[in-house]
Amino acid sequence: MTRAFPNIAKYIKNLISRLTAYLKLLFGGNTVDVLPALAGPVLNLGGGGLDVEAAIQWMINQVRGTSRVNVVVLRTYGSDDYNHLIYRMTGVNSVQTLIVSNRQDANRDDIVQKIHNADVVFFAGGDQCQYIRSWKNTKLEAAVASVYRRGGAVGGTSAGAMIMSDFVYDACACEDPIETKDALEDPYQNITFTYNFFQWSHLRGTIIDTHFDSRKRMGRIMTFIARQIQDGVCKSVLGIAISEETSVVVDKYGKAKVLGRNAAYFVLGDHPPEVCKPRTPLTYHDYKIWRVPSGETFDLNNPPARGYYYRSVKRGRFDSDPY
């Protein structure tokens, strides 16, 4: 009996070796990581300016359960200043900033693996056009999506929040982003959109805008909404307009909550515009607008049947103060 044990051990060792070789062949030599499921997915949409630290802590708390999370900050340029801020937060195991400024790096296996292993991903502010040109249809994009599918958290601020909507104003047509006056005067000049980038389940049919109050961007998001309907992209579009120093956090059920200093606006276009064409001021009657102050909620899956007001644009001018 004692002499049989070495043979059994040898057999098991050989079996493990053959199984490992088979798995390597099956998965192209890549290792297979079995990562723990998380308690999300959740989203954090920041309006720019000073970060809402409570919103970043919220998304960490929502997904971590009783464990500590690993956070990856993504940007195309800048520093690692988020590392110190986030590492001090409750429930954080590690934080690293990855500066990924081109498509080659966005397909690097070492970078992609770090994102894949994260529990929380956060997009810093920057230039949404550069994000799209550098990251869309890359392994980086797929890795971020895998974090979300696993129940993780994905957040961003300013341009980093704008790239998370279903329809993205990409700011690729001109050096400076378009603003309200010019958008209302001509809904097509220098206004372009990107589709099929990150596609989160509770942000279907949305377009996000940021720096909303300080830059008076209501007419801008109204134009963006009108364009989607006029161009046949969607019959109904919800704009999520976020003020500076403010965040909209979205739980796994699609309920949004406003955190921070100011309000968020949810702007619905649910019918075709009267006039939306090049070189002609916009005319669109009866947008529905919900102004949601800090601390209040909004159900993205079932917008409330009350609490909104109507505003219209006629020949590029508001009928009354839209705020």
Side-chain angles (χ1 to χ4, degrees):
M1 293 292 292
T2 56
R3 292 180 180 178
F5 289 139
N7 293 332
I8 293 173
K10 184 177 180 181
Y11 172 78
I12 292 174
K13 183 177 180 181
N14 184 53
L15 181 63
I16 292 171
S17 177
R18 293 176 67 180
L19 180 60
T20 301
Y22 171 74
L23 289 173
K24 285 184 177 180
L25 178 65
L26 183 64
F27 291 99
N30 294 322
T31 57
V32 181
D33 293 322
V34 180
L35 297 169
L38 299 164
V42 301
L43 301 168
N44 170 22
L45 313 172
L50 294 177
D51 289 290
V52 182
E53 295 183 26
I56 300 174
Q57 182 68 72
W58 177 91
M59 67 176 180
I60 292 168
N61 292 344
Q62 288 291 305
V63 303
R64 75 185 185 91
T66 58
S67 61
R68 297 166 72 85
V69 299
N70 300 310
V71 182
V72 166
V73 178
L74 288 173
R75 59 197 316 164
T76 54
Y77 63 88
S79 68
D80 63 355
D81 52 348
Y82 272 107
N83 291 13
H84 306 290
L85 170 69
I86 295 174
Y87 190 72
R88 295 195 303 267
M89 293 184 174
T90 302
V92 174
N93 179 57
S94 69
V95 189
Q96 56 184 326
T97 294
L98 304 177
I99 298 176
V100 185
S101 57
N102 57 70
R103 299 181 66 81
Q104 180 179 354
D105 286 348
N107 284 302
R108 277 175 44 188
D109 288 342
D110 59 329
I111 289 176
V112 170
Q113 192 65 40
K114 289 175 182 178
I115 299 167
H116 178 73
N117 291 340
D119 307 304
V120 177
V121 175
F122 188 81
F123 305 123
D127 179 348
Q128 64 262 35
C129 184
Q130 188 173 1
Y131 282 155
I132 290 162
R133 288 174 173 169
S134 300
W135 299 350
K136 190 174 188 294
N137 297 326
T138 66
K139 292 180 181 179
L140 179 151
E141 179 186 5
V144 174
S146 76
V147 174
Y148 182 83
R149 286 195 304 270
R150 189 161 56 88
V154 181
T157 186
S158 188
M162 293 177 69
I163 62 173
M164 291 202 284
S165 54
D166 204 4
F167 319 131
V168 181
Y169 166 63
D170 57 32
C172 289
C174 54
E175 184 174 347
D176 296 320
I178 203 78
E179 294 297 344
T180 280
K181 181 179 181 297
D182 293 329
L184 291 176
E185 283 296 315
D186 186 341
Y188 282 83
Q189 185 175 9
N190 293 329
I191 299 176
T192 55
F193 302 94
T194 289
Y195 304 100
N196 303 313
F197 194 17
F198 297 111
Q199 297 176 299
W200 313 129
S201 57
H202 297 304
L203 296 183
R204 299 290 188 188
T206 66
I207 191 159
I208 293 170
D209 208 353
T210 58
H211 299 279
F212 197 70
D213 51 353
S214 62
R215 302 183 189 180
K216 301 296 182 185
R217 285 180 164 173
M218 182 67 82
R220 186 170 104 142
I221 202 166
M222 287 176 164
T223 299
F224 298 165
I225 290 168
R227 276 286 306 277
Q228 308 315 305
I229 299 172
Q230 180 65 37
D231 296 349
V233 176
C234 196
K235 292 182 178 179
S236 178
V237 181
L238 181 68
I240 303 175
I242 312 163
S243 303
E244 291 188 356
E245 300 181 48
T246 306
S247 286
V248 172
V249 294
V250 183
D251 70 16
K252 62 183 177 181
Y253 304 108
K255 182 165 286 189
K257 185 174 184 178
V258 180
L259 300 178
R261 185 173 181 177
N262 299 303
Y265 295 80
F266 296 84
V267 185
L268 179 65
D270 56 5
H271 57 278
E274 285 72 20
V275 180
C276 183
K277 58 185 181 181
R279 297 178 296 280
T280 305
L282 177 68
T283 295
Y284 192 131
H285 293 122
D286 295 337
Y287 290 91
K288 290 179 181 176
I289 303 174
W290 292 263
R291 182 185 184 278
V292 181
S294 182
E296 298 298 318
T297 62
F298 185 92
D299 191 338
L300 293 173
N301 295 320
N302 296 289
R306 61 185 67 184
Y308 58 83
Y309 56 93
Y310 288 107
R311 288 295 182 271
S312 299
V313 175
K314 187 174 182 179
R315 292 193 291 272
R317 299 291 182 269
F318 298 121
D319 62 343
S320 60
D321 185 354
Y323 300 97

